[in-house]
Amino acid sequence: MSFAPPSLLTIDLDAIAANWRWLDARHPGQTAGVVKANAYGLGAAYVAPKLFAAGCRNFFTAHLAEALTIRPLVGQANVMVLHAMLPDEAEVFTHHGITPVLSSLPEIALWATEGKRVGRVLPALLQVDTGMSRLGLSAEETRVLFNNPDLLTGITITHVMTHLMNAEISEHPSNETQYQRIRTFQRQFPDARLSLANSSGLFLAPKFAADLARPGAALYGVNPTPGRLNPLTPVVQLHGKIIALRDVEPGTEVGYNGVWTARRPSRIATVAVGYADGYFRCLTNQAFGYFDGTPAPLVGRVSMDLTTFDVTGIANLNLGDSLELLGPHCTPDNLAQAANTNGYEILTAMGARYQRHYIGATPLK
Ligand SMILES: *Cc1c(COP(=O)(O)O)cnc(C)c1O
């Protein structure tokens, strides 16, 4: 006999598909789905086939292992790996029909060698560092490549790409600087298309969408336009189950180190969610749970498996009920603000321990 974990994470795949369609309709180019980090923690094995059914034919993961997971779930779609290709991985890429993003001269050499081995011209994206100093060809590597075009013999560069460092700050001058740099680079590859926008990049000037946009966070309901209304459909809800309810006297300390003390007769709900679930310890005394829309302040320390909320005066609340910890009243962006982080970290940290309910799942192969 198996028991479901007490707290429930609901993931609306229909909303993810709707978000992809909406973003795709915003611009004339193609729209990929970024499903790295297990689709931002939401389950790549569910998200990738759902996006495929919605019409998505280009998928990005961070690592080869992630690409191998989704490869059988997305038909003939392009599966592309954003991060480094290691020497012993090249044949795995070709064997499974996965496309690398080449970000250095050694990777280019590796892919050219692999092309010779299999006797085919192999596709790849070429990533250029236009400002982030993280991945991509450096200015020096770019010069070497332009002076030695033979380095690319056996490789078809389908796209040149770069990644924006300040896309969510629309007025930031680095956006235009990076755009000009990648356009200059692209002139050397007249047949290659251009890819630079992440989610927020799709809300800059239209030219940033280019030929292949790479949204991730916005698919999952994170606001790509911080400070403005979120145009995307919410995707996740988290309901924490109340496993204890008690009434405490004024002066009672709650939780580790007594960092919250009741000032009035209070009713405390203990919820089966904690920092081991990705409900961050730094939310101590900072967040709210909601019952039928009524806020209940998080009181005391978030502990590993439990968090306490002040539910004083909330009518009709019973043991076994749940508090909304993420949902219409507290979005991942709201919770991120309370935790001094971003919505990305809230989503990707969400633990594997929750009971998961998927809305709109396509049948798994
Ligand atoms: C993660 C990532 C994306 C997606 O970014 P979002 O901000 O989540 O839309 C796009 N491109 C690259 C290179 C990435 O690493």
Side-chain angles (χ1 to χ4, degrees):
M1 192 165 169
S2 69
F3 294 90
S7 293
L8 177 65
L9 180 64
T10 305
I11 297 163
D12 188 344
L13 296 165
D14 290 329
I16 294 175
N19 286 338
W20 183 84
R21 282 197 210 93
W22 189 80
L23 292 168
D24 188 47
R26 279 179 63 84
H27 67 109
Q30 290 185 307
T31 307
V34 177
V35 294
K36 63 190 179 188
N38 196 26
Y40 292 45
L42 301 188
Y46 290 86
V47 171
K50 188 71 184 186
L51 290 176
F52 183 79
C56 181
R57 293 296 177 266
N58 294 281
F59 293 85
F60 284 97
T61 66
H63 305 306
L64 175 58
E66 296 172 343
L68 292 172
T69 305
I70 67 156
R71 175 73 277 178
L73 307 176
V74 295
Q76 300 301 309
N78 297 317
V79 178
M80 298 162 280
V81 174
L82 290 165
H83 291 178
M85 177 171 56
L86 303 173
D88 55 351
E89 291 177 349
E91 59 186 273
V92 184
F93 276 81
T94 48
H95 184 74
H96 292 275
I98 293 167
T99 304
V101 174
L102 303 176
S103 294
S104 69
L105 293 179
E107 281 174 35
I108 290 171
L110 188 63
W111 200 231
T113 304
E114 178 64 8
K116 280 195 203 96
R117 188 184 74 82
V118 297
R120 278 189 283 129
V121 175
L122 297 177
L125 292 79
L126 192 53
Q127 176 161 222
V128 183
D129 177 19
T130 57
M132 267 191 105
S133 307
R134 197 178 67 164
L135 287 177
L137 296 178
S138 65
E140 175 56 24
E141 287 183 299
T142 302
R143 267 192 296 279
V144 172
L145 192 63
F146 290 167
N147 292 331
N148 301 276
D150 289 353
L151 293 175
L152 287 168
T153 302
I155 301 176
T156 301
I157 299 301
T158 63
H159 298 80
V160 297
M161 70 164 260
T162 198
H163 194 42
L164 298 169
M165 61 196 294
N166 287 300
E168 77 283 11
I169 307 168
S170 57
E171 69 282 8
H172 201 290
S174 70
N175 293 316
E176 182 64 22
T177 305
Q178 289 191 272
Y179 182 81
Q180 291 306 333
R181 285 182 181 154
I182 194 66
R183 291 292 283 180
T184 302
F185 181 90
Q186 192 193 11
R187 276 185 215 116
Q188 306 287 332
F189 295 93
D191 296 334
R193 283 163 290 172
L194 178 63
S195 177
L196 72 159
N198 67 338
S199 297
S200 296
L202 278 171
F203 296 83
L204 299 172
K207 66 185 182 186
F208 283 87
D211 300 310
L212 179 64
R214 308 186 306 268
L219 300 176
Y220 311 114
V222 172
N223 188 358
T225 58
R228 287 188 277 151
L229 211 59
N230 188 350
L232 282 315
T233 305
V235 169
V236 296
Q237 294 197 40
L238 174 61
H239 287 94
K241 178 155 290 201
I242 298 171
I243 60 169
L245 264 179
R246 75 195 59 238
D247 295 307
V248 301
E249 298 297 317
T252 307
E253 296 183 338
V254 172
Y256 284 119
N257 312 123
V259 296
W260 187 84
T261 304
R263 296 220 193 96
R264 53 174 186 176
S266 302
R267 177 153 250 229
I268 303 296
T270 303
V271 167
V273 166
Y275 60 75
D277 299 298
Y279 196 76
F280 297 131
R281 189 168 178 270
C282 64
L283 290 167
T284 294
N285 286 337
Q286 297 297 323
F288 292 87
Y290 292 84
F291 185 73
D292 277 347
T294 305
L298 192 169
V299 295
R301 276 236 197 287
V302 175
S303 53
M304 185 183 291
D305 317 293
L306 299 171
T307 302
T308 37
F309 293 85
D310 180 357
V311 295
T312 310
I314 299 183
N316 302 322
L317 183 82
N318 296 302
L319 195 64
D321 286 340
S322 291
L323 294 184
E324 173 201 317
L325 304 184
L326 286 174
H329 301 93
C330 181
T331 65
D333 291 303
N334 296 147
L335 196 64
Q337 200 159 28
N340 195 22
T341 181
N342 61 12
Y344 297 61
E345 194 180 20
I346 296 293
L347 292 186
T348 54
M350 273 193 310
R353 208 163 51 159
Y354 297 131
Q355 183 187 335
R356 287 181 176 222
H357 173 57
Y358 286 92
I359 298 170
T362 52
L364 284 181
K365 288 179 200 165

